[in-house]
Amino acid sequence: MENFLSQKRILVTGSCGTIGSELTRQLLEDYQVKEVVCIDNNESELFFQEQKHLAHNNIRFGLADIRDCEKLRRMMQGIDIVFHTAALKHVILCERNPFEAVQTNIQGVKNIITAASENKVEKVIFTSSDKAVNPTNVMGTSKLMGERLMTAANSNQRAETTIFASTRFGNVLGSRGSVIPIFKEQIKKGGPITLTDPEMTRFIMSIKQAVQLVIDSAEIAVGGYVFITKMPVIRIKDLAEVMINELAPIYGHIPNNIKINIIGSKPGEKLYEELMNHEETRRAMELEKYFVVKPAFEGLYNKSSYSQNKIVNEIVTNPYNSSNESVLSKEELRKFLLTHNLFEECMVASHPDKRY
């Protein structure tokens, strides 16, 4: 079946990461793409990824770092669409190594823009984070700068050759470093589960959902815009309790015997997630699966618009954050985890059980 990616040459940065690896899989198996080019600076994981996809003859791999603009220039020759997922994403590590975060999450985005512009790539989609909204840490601030660079890239074009856009979403459950595998290991050992704050809420989605929405956003991308994925909200305490009830018997434990210890929030960590703030609501509109934020200085940018049948609401008044949204019940959360095989996925590999 024909789709907007049919016969396109796609470049995926950070192809060995959680989003990048699933994106690569979907592009190969679910879309008639002409070629997928995967780049990452993790040599071992790139080797294993290549072995995994030996059956496909339309994929190639490059050992590359997005800090290397010359390498990006070469890798983007003949590329139609770039999905930029490479980033430093761990809050604590970015806080301790801010100059590294700048070089990868800011300078790296600039390099992507430069290489894509020079090679006249059709579209570049930058995967951003909820932490870019009212950032309280280095990682979030660097992601916000990445979004602003993508938006500004459109105004710097003499001709409308490349569409630069960002897509912003929250927690991807089951991804490396997420709380699910940590809780699993703690339950496996009989507890206790360490919880930062019982009132903490988060937006959630599965890895497959996140990648599908990244691909969808590429189809409807308008230059300079930020696409904000709609997703359900949970309490982290509810997640812990649901996982205890489901997994404790599997590991030979009685659920009621597994304690939950409150350890307090990490530096720079919010009690709730923000995907769109008050200022952005003034220039936002609502689509079926997304909110879309227009550039702050739209008059300076190449203008595009949506047909009316795609817009659910042209006026958005409430900021999109997890404290304003209805929280899934424990039963709804349990069904979500089962539907997306998140219990099964967290059983596969071992993971450290300690938290900051």
Side-chain angles (χ1 to χ4, degrees), residues 8-9 218 231:
K8 298 289 187 183
R9 286 189 166 95
M231 61 190 78

Side-chain angles (χ1 to χ4, degrees), residues 20-154:
S21 58
E22 173 62 18
L23 177 57
T24 299
R25 187 199 67 78
Q26 288 192 28
L27 290 173
L28 288 171
E29 298 179 7
D30 301 335
Y31 296 87
Q32 297 173 339
V33 297
K34 189 170 186 176
E35 183 181 32
V36 179
V37 178
C38 298
I39 65 173
D40 204 292
N41 63 0
N42 188 327
E43 179 197 13
S44 295
E45 288 299 321
L46 197 67
F47 174 81
F48 295 137
Q49 188 176 38
E50 185 168 5
Q51 301 306 301
K52 182 179 179 180
H53 295 297
L54 285 175
H56 298 277
N57 58 12
N58 62 334
I59 184 170
R60 63 188 179 97
F61 300 85
L63 186 61
D65 196 306
I66 60 172
R67 298 181 182 185
D68 185 347
C69 194
E70 287 302 317
K71 184 63 178 283
L72 291 176
R73 285 186 172 102
R74 297 194 298 271
M75 297 301 294
M76 285 193 199
Q77 292 175 6
I79 292 296
D80 300 306
I81 297 175
V82 173
F83 289 104
H84 178 36
T85 74
L88 298 183
K89 66 176 184 177
H90 292 286
V91 170
I92 294 296
L93 290 178
C94 287
E95 209 68 22
R96 291 174 176 169
N97 303 276
F99 297 110
E100 299 300 314
V102 168
Q103 289 186 65
T104 295
N105 294 358
I106 299 178
Q107 184 64 41
V109 173
K110 178 180 178 293
N111 292 340
I112 293 288
I113 291 168
T114 299
S117 297
E118 292 181 4
N119 284 286
K120 294 181 170 55
V121 172
E122 292 176 15
K123 292 183 178 181
V124 178
I125 304 300
F126 169 57
T127 55
S128 187
S129 164
D130 60 285
K131 293 176 178 62
V133 183
N134 295 328
T136 58
N137 50 59
V138 170
M139 197 282 270
T141 303
S142 67
K143 279 291 192 178
L144 175 59
M145 276 303 303
E147 288 185 7
R148 295 298 170 89
L149 287 172
M150 294 292 291
T151 298
N154 292 275

